[in-house]
Amino acid sequence: MPTILLAQEDSDAASHLTSLLQDFFPTAQLQLITDFPSLVATLASASRSSLLLSDIFWADSDQSGTLLLLAETYPELPIGIVSRYDLTQTLPPAFPIPWLKADDHLPLAMAELMENFSGRTFGSYTLTSRAGPHPLGRLYWAKHHQLERQVQILIPPVGSPHFAKAIRAYARLNHAGVYSLYESVPSEQRIFVALEPVIHPTLLHLQNEGGSLQILPAARLATSLASVLSEMESSSIPARLLGSYDYTLSPNGTPRLRNPAATPGTQEASHHQNSIQLASILEPLLPSSPSATSLLELLRNPGTSAFDLLRQTRHFERQLAEVQEVHVRDEEIEAAQKILRARVLRRWAIGIGSIGALVFLAIAAWVIFDRLFLDQPGKLGDAEIEVPAGRLILPDSTNSVSAFYLDRHEVTIGQYEQFLNEIASEKNWKTFLPPTAAASKSSLQDLEPRGWKDILNRARKGDKFNGQVRITRDTPVFSVDYPSAYAFAKWKKRRLPTRVEWLRAASGNDNRTYPWGTNSEVTGINLALQLPKNTLIESYDHMLPAESNPADIGPFQHYDLGGNLSEWIASPNPATPTFIGGNFRDQYPVSNVRSTRTAPTPNSYPFIGFRTAR
């Protein structure tokens, strides 16, 4: 039974959230905390809780920094922010504690936070315990089996639309002053990421303890920021705005930064904004002195680029160290050359970028037209062809077949779209279904083929289906089940053909072996005679537009009786419907006498369509 700590100062908000949580988790134990000192004391008491839901405003004071330090101090307790205010513009940039909105998604977000991966193995890593907050997910301490290396594993939220792009942004930056990203670890439908652990205290810790900072470590922090930003500037990597939680200092004063790459949903910041932000962080930490004043002035006026800031901070740091003679190292020469190349490249980039922008706008205009406005109509109509009366000779019987009319081609996506649109106005639409199938169709959506919205959207634009073949409104409708085909025919004031009728149309007066004749090696029939390499027949999709296979024409000029899609025919028992004819998954021609097959269930199949008769 989970124990949830609900820390809310506002009584109305606490009452609302209590009611909401009891609805979602009726068996959970709720402990209400109404002031911030009590929250700190409760966490320090080592009480076993499953989740903490806390506001960030207490007595009209922003406690986001303190909450962040509490999340680091007690990593085993998942923490989420639930506030009475809209925090969209309030939380600091890249704040690592998730904001949970009090809506229908709250129980899923809470359940995910409470999920514990400790003790599980992913790839070469075994997770040992929770490690604290991170803006992209949850952190766990882990150990690499072979290397005996301690790392932190970042686990993304389930179904996160931004995580993959964010990690790619992180991976682009490789700098000694930034904590490293080691590797990705695929697991089921998610990708975990191994990170270098952040083990040194941050400037936020120093602020919280009321400590101070000497001028030399502060100058090193400024130089480290400038070096990282200049590397990002030369590589065209956008940066986010860094806060006090993003700067760490080792005991000997060596600075390191959390990865400053801007991720999706994070506002980008210039070198100027980050430099001024660092000045505001350092100002209350630095003892008053002329050197501190000079450093803060330098950070508030960083120059026109991160390279200018780097040049100034390095000069300032050397002055502090009282270096009389500075030997220029190879690395610095390479850095200066890199700066020069970057400036030249920027000028070229502006010119090339202008041309590229025009090309991009043209492409974007076409993409917008294609995605939003392009809607290709179908070209085929409702043509039907008379099949004259005649005899059908089968191995076990001879049948006299009366004259009837049969559709020239299989029912298309466009025709089925019209059916679904018009039957929506029929109050008694279930009367179109087979009598025994009415109970299996509870709504009009049950008449749609599986994946209908995707099928129709791709047919409107002529896009590929399953990445294999382009479909249009003239492509025969597929994945439609037997009761829906029956309903279409009845709505059209027609019916599905019987077995002997279909075979009469396919065999003709000369009792053909195949609808096109007697040649089993004829080309131009949509069958899987030559399956593409490394393709499984179960995943092969190759439905072609109706009347596009010139060799597959029956004795009375009907199209696609021998290939493309198999077709539903009138079946006495809708529970085990019958279909007939060859299709694009058949790896051999299907003769007329062996063309009848029974579906094991009434489910839809991508290789079965239908045509109607009267």
Side-chain angles (χ1 to χ4, degrees), residues 99-120:
W99 171 32
L100 309 183
K101 298 182 180 180
D103 56 19
D104 292 341
H105 298 289
L106 179 61
L108 292 176
M110 292 172 56
E112 185 172 355
L113 276 180
M114 290 189 285
E115 184 182 18
N116 194 343
F117 288 87
S118 299
R120 294 181 59 180

Side-chain angles (χ1 to χ4, degrees), residues 236-386:
S236 300
I237 303 173
R240 60 179 173 86
L241 187 63
L242 300 179
S244 56
Y245 186 66
D246 296 303
Y247 296 95
T248 69
L249 280 172
S250 69
N252 62 2
T254 302
R256 296 286 294 279
L257 277 65
R258 298 179 193 269
N259 200 306
T263 60
T266 303
Q267 186 174 358
E268 297 179 14
S270 65
H271 80 285
H272 192 271
Q273 291 171 310
N274 266 308
S275 182
I276 292 177
Q277 175 83 342
L278 179 58
S280 66
I281 294 172
L282 293 178
E283 185 172 17
L285 298 175
L286 289 172
S288 179
S289 69
S291 296
T293 302
S294 298
L295 176 60
L296 295 176
E297 182 64 24
L298 185 156
L299 289 172
R300 292 187 179 111
N301 297 278
T304 58
S305 70
F307 299 101
D308 293 334
L309 177 62
L310 178 59
R311 177 178 53 79
Q312 295 181 71
T313 55
R314 278 182 173 172
H315 179 69
F316 181 85
E317 190 177 341
R318 286 168 181 159
Q319 285 182 320
L320 287 177
E322 297 181 353
V323 176
Q324 300 300 319
E325 182 180 357
V326 178
H327 296 283
V328 180
R329 297 178 299 171
D330 292 341
E331 293 88 344
E332 292 181 86
I333 295 174
E334 292 176 5
Q337 292 172 342
K338 194 171 185 179
I339 291 171
L340 180 61
R341 288 196 299 269
R343 287 174 176 168
V344 174
L345 286 173
R346 277 202 301 275
R347 293 189 180 96
W348 276 99
I350 292 172
I352 296 173
S354 300
I355 299 173
L358 294 175
V359 175
F360 173 79
L361 289 174
I363 295 174
W366 165 249
V367 171
I368 292 172
F369 171 76
D370 179 62
R371 294 297 93 187
L372 300 181
F373 302 107
L374 184 62
D375 192 351
Q376 300 175 353
K379 299 178 182 178
L380 296 177
D382 297 334
E384 60 181 3
I385 298 175
E386 183 181 13

Side-chain angles (χ1 to χ4, degrees), residues 3-7 31 33 39-40 42-54 67-68 70-80 97-98 113-116 129-133 138-140:
T3 299
I4 299 175
L5 301 179
L6 180 59
Q31 181 178 345
I33 302 173
L39 171 59
V40 176
T42 300
L43 297 182
S45 68
S47 61
R48 297 183 63 85
S49 302
S50 304
L51 180 66
L52 166 62
L53 298 178
S54 173
L67 273 176
L68 188 51
L70 288 174
E72 273 199 349
T73 306
Y74 308 102
E76 292 299 327
L77 176 62
I79 299 179
I97 300 179
L113 276 180
M114 290 189 285
E115 184 182 18
N116 194 343
S129 63
R130 298 179 189 264
R138 290 171 289 159
L139 277 179
Y140 283 79

